[in-house]
Each structure stands twice: as structure tokens, then as C-alpha cells.
Amino acid sequence: MSSLVSCRSGNAVGRILLMAAAVLSLPGCAVMSAAGPSSGDIREANQAPVGNANIRIVDLNDALSRTIIARSRPLLLSESIGDGFVLGSMVGKGDVLDISIWEAPPAALFGASMSGGRLASSGAAAQGSGFPEQMVSSEGTITIPFAGKVMAAGRTPQQIENDIVSRLRGKAHLPQVVVRLVRNSAANVTIVGEVANSSRVPLTAKGERLLDILATAGGVRQPVGKTTIQVTRGDRVASLPLDTIIRDPRQNIRLQPDDVVTALFQPYSFVALGATGRNDEIPFEGTGITLVQALGRVQGIQDQRANVRGVFLFRFEDPTVLGNELASTATRTPDGKIPVIYRIDMKDPSTLFISQSFPIHNGDVLYVSNAPLADIQKFVSIISSTIFPIASVRTAVQ
């Protein structure tokens, strides 16, 4: 009986060995499942059409890294938007003005002064008249007796005073004019988005800055590192991470009427796949992280599995980064980007210096391929796990 079992067990082992030999003769992709494409598969994709576009493999080097860093620098608010004017220095539509006009004696036009709501004799002193408060019209003008319509919007109180004096010269005797901004009804900033209280915030003569308005709205509801502030002024729109605005006082720009401030929650992330210490979607701060920081957050690459020359970064890249030759021939995505795979040789010591400044973008995919030996070891492990239990049964029966 034992010889019969031994014979049958020997035949089973032989069949498994024959199956292993047959499997070894198949293409690599049929041997076993893998976490992703091999280094060779990715290199072959360099000339393979994908969705009518050729995916290019680009070796990451110092020159390319410098170009990408320069292109990745966000446009600062101080450069794209700039400081607004201090409230009170410029009159706008809807503002309320208080205007007083004086004449030296003998007064010709404004020969009485206002006192307690009644006309009072001014004697030999300078004589003047105070007018009811005027709101700047939708056309941007105010009306002054004997001077007519005077343009006020977009001008300072001093400029309005000089204009009125020039119009009254020759009519009034040595006229003097004082224009005072009483209410700035139209001077508001709108703040919306991820703040405690979305509202319209009135501006004052202090000259409120961006962080002042955020504080007035109760601050942001999301972590500072994941919040981006967008400022809209007319047809100009610019955004910057809140953390950058806090750290760089130049970006805490002075706001002006009708600006719109939007606090945006930006959960930036990249995806790590393959022979890394952690396969996951990894969030990062709005200020960005570098390639070496990204590798650190996924616990590096696995020593037993990874191909150190098979580290790849998949990205939809800005065409201006890649040069005219590639940009002119590649088919772009609907938003104008080009699919690119950056190849990173971690065996080259200089790569560690380059990766300390190479930026990771939102949506990047970091992939580390298996070393060829790792695939062989995986196959041997599968075969061993199948053979050894049968061999154990054979030993037990004997």
C-alpha cells in the first residue's frame, strides 16, 4: 500500500515539475500576477501609441529638474495682483462726500455761512457754505452750484478740491474748497469659501490686508497647510497657499474695494505603487513636497523587490517644460498637458541631490518596478509552496 502511495505521490511531483517547466517557457506576463509593469514594459511604451499620444520616457537630470522647478514656482500675489490703494485716498461710485466752500470777503457767491441750520452773517471773516452730503452717482459725478457736474470717482479728495476751485475761479472771490469722505458705502471686500463666516467686509482707512480680512471672517475651517487663497480683482485671478502668505509678508497684500477672496480646500496628493514600502494615496501640503520627501513618506523602496533603476514618475506635464520638439509632436490632453514618464535612476548618487529639489505635483503617480530577480524568486516561492506539501505527505505516508 505504501509503495502505491509513493508511486502516486512521485507522479504528482513529476506532473508539477513538468507544469513548472511549461510555465517557464511562457512569456513573463503569463507566469504570475504583478503589481504593475516591469521596467522593460515601461521603456517599450516610449514608442507605443496610447490614446493617439506617444508616451515619452524622459530621464530625470539636473538640467531638466532646474527647468521644472522654475516653471513650477507659483505666481506670487505681490506680482500678479499687487497692493490695493489705501481707503480714503480714492473716491468711488456710491461714496458719500461732505463738501465745504469758502470765499474771501467780499464774497460774491457763497456770502453766508451755515450755523445751526440757519443762514448767518459772516461779517468780515472768510465766508463759506456747507452743502448737504452728496453721494457719488453711478456715473461717478457730483454736482456743485456754479461749478456743474464734477467727476469724482477714481480721484482723490484733493484732486476733486482742485477741480472745483478751478471751475469757480473768476466766479467766486478766492474760493477755497474742502472735500471730505464721509462714508465709503461701496468699499467692501467679499470673502467666501472655507471660512467660518462668508460675508462682505467693509474696508476702512486703515488699509486692510488679506490676513486682516481672513481674521474678520473668523479664519479658515481647514488646516493652513491644505488651504489655498484665491484673490479676484477685476479680470485678474491669482492664488497662493495660505502657508506661503503667512510666511512671506509681501504676499499679505492690501485689498481694495470689490476684491473677492476665496479660501479653497486643496487636498493635494500623489499615489505610490509597486515596490514601495507603502502603496497608498499620500496627501501633502499646499506648499508642495520634493521627490525625496515623497519617497520618505512611502517608507522608501523595498530592498528585496525594487529595481533601483526602475523608479518612474507618471505625470501630465506642461508642454513648455519639455522643449519645442516634443511639444510640437505630442498629442495633448483636453487641458493642454502631455503625458510623460520620468525615469529616475536611484543607483546614481547625483539623483539623491536632484530629488531634494524636484517637485511632486498634485495627481502624480510614483511607481517602482520589481527587479527581474524578484519575479524569479516569487515564481520559485509559488512552486515551492506547491511541491513541499506533497513531499511532506509522501514522507508522512512512508
Side-chain angles (χ1 to χ4, degrees):
M1 181 67 180
S2 61
S3 62
L4 179 60
V5 172
S6 175
C7 179
R8 289 180 177 176
S9 299
N11 290 338
V13 171
R15 286 196 300 271
I16 291 174
L17 292 176
L18 287 175
M19 178 183 68
V23 170
L24 283 173
S25 66
L26 295 175
C29 62
V31 174
M32 68 198 77
S33 61
S38 65
S39 298
D41 294 334
I42 296 176
R43 284 194 296 271
E44 292 173 2
N46 194 28
Q47 301 299 329
V50 177
N52 297 324
N54 289 326
I55 296 181
R56 300 295 183 181
I57 307 296
V58 180
D59 289 315
L60 183 61
N61 53 44
D62 182 65
L64 178 61
S65 178
R66 290 176 183 271
T67 301
I68 294 175
I69 292 170
R71 298 285 183 181
S72 300
R73 187 181 77 87
L75 193 60
L76 301 177
L77 294 178
S78 58
E79 299 170 342
S80 57
I81 298 294
D83 255 354
F85 51 79
V86 178
L87 191 67
S89 64
M90 197 75 69
V91 175
K93 298 176 181 179
D95 289 350
V96 178
L97 303 178
D98 177 71
I99 303 168
S100 298
I101 302 176
W102 286 268
E103 288 185 83
L109 296 179
F110 308 97
S113 60
M114 299 296 294
S115 177
R118 297 181 179 180
L119 288 174
S121 174
S122 56
Q127 300 171 0
S129 179
F131 300 98
E133 294 178 351
Q134 287 199 60
M135 178 181 290
V136 180
S137 70
S138 59
E139 298 176 350
T141 61
I142 56 175
T143 302
I144 303 297
F146 307 106
K149 286 189 176 181
V150 178
M151 179 56 66
R155 306 172 79 178
T156 65
Q158 292 74 23
Q159 289 173 325
I160 300 172
E161 291 171 3
N162 294 335
D163 191 4
I164 296 174
V165 168
S166 66
R167 290 168 180 251
L168 294 176
R169 192 171 288 121
K171 300 178 183 179
H173 185 220
L174 299 177
Q176 299 293 316
V177 179
V178 173
V179 176
R180 184 171 62 92
L181 185 61
V182 177
R183 271 195 316 278
N184 226 313
S185 303
N188 295 287
V189 169
T190 302
I191 181 163
V192 295
E194 294 293 330
V195 292
N197 298 294
S198 295
S199 60
R200 284 177 61 83
V201 180
L203 297 176
T204 68
K206 173 189 174 183
E208 281 77 4
R209 296 184 175 273
L210 185 53
L211 294 180
D212 296 329
I213 298 301
L214 285 173
T216 302
V220 295
R221 295 186 296 183
Q222 302 295 338
V224 170
K226 293 179 183 279
T227 302
T228 295
I229 302 300
Q230 176 182 287
V231 179
T232 304
R233 179 174 295 168
D235 58 355
R236 290 178 293 169
V237 180
S239 59
L240 204 63
L242 177 56
D243 184 72
T244 302
I245 297 171
I246 294 173
R247 289 186 292 105
D248 185 357
R250 295 173 302 170
Q251 309 317 312
N252 187 23
I253 60 174
R254 183 180 288 109
L255 298 174
Q256 69 180 43
D258 298 326
D259 281 353
V260 178
V261 178
T262 307
L264 303 170
F265 176 51
Q266 296 284 13
Y268 295 114
S269 66
F270 70 94
V271 175
L273 298 173
T276 62
R278 175 186 175 190
N279 281 195
D280 201 352
E281 181 180 4
I282 312 297
F284 62 91
E285 300 77 20
T287 50
I289 60 172
T290 63
L291 174 59
V292 72
Q293 289 175 316
L295 287 170
R297 295 192 183 190
V298 298
Q299 302 172 14
I301 58 179
Q302 295 186 8
D303 293 340
Q304 292 79 14
R305 288 182 50 198
N307 181 355
V308 292
R309 289 181 172 172
V311 179
F312 302 93
L313 189 70
F314 292 70
R315 173 182 295 173
F316 290 102
E317 189 60 272
D318 185 342
T320 58
V321 173
L322 304 172
N324 295 330
E325 182 178 354
L326 178 59
S328 60
T329 58
T331 301
R332 306 183 185 185
T333 60
D335 58 352
K337 300 297 182 65
I338 295 176
V340 173
I341 304 174
Y342 290 110
R343 179 167 49 198
I344 303 153
D345 185 0
M346 296 302 296
K347 198 168 186 179
D348 184 356
S350 64
T351 301
L352 292 177
F353 291 100
I354 296 172
S355 61
Q356 289 183 44
S357 55
F358 184 79
I360 294 293
H361 290 178
N362 183 42
D364 281 355
V365 176
L366 179 64
Y367 174 72
V368 180
S369 62
N370 285 342
L373 182 60
D375 288 335
I376 295 174
Q377 291 174 338
K378 185 189 295 185
F379 176 79
V380 172
S381 176
I382 293 174
I383 296 301
S384 298
S385 64
T386 306
I387 292 176
F388 284 127
I390 295 178
S392 299
V393 169
R394 178 181 178 184
T395 303
V397 172
Q398 289 178 342

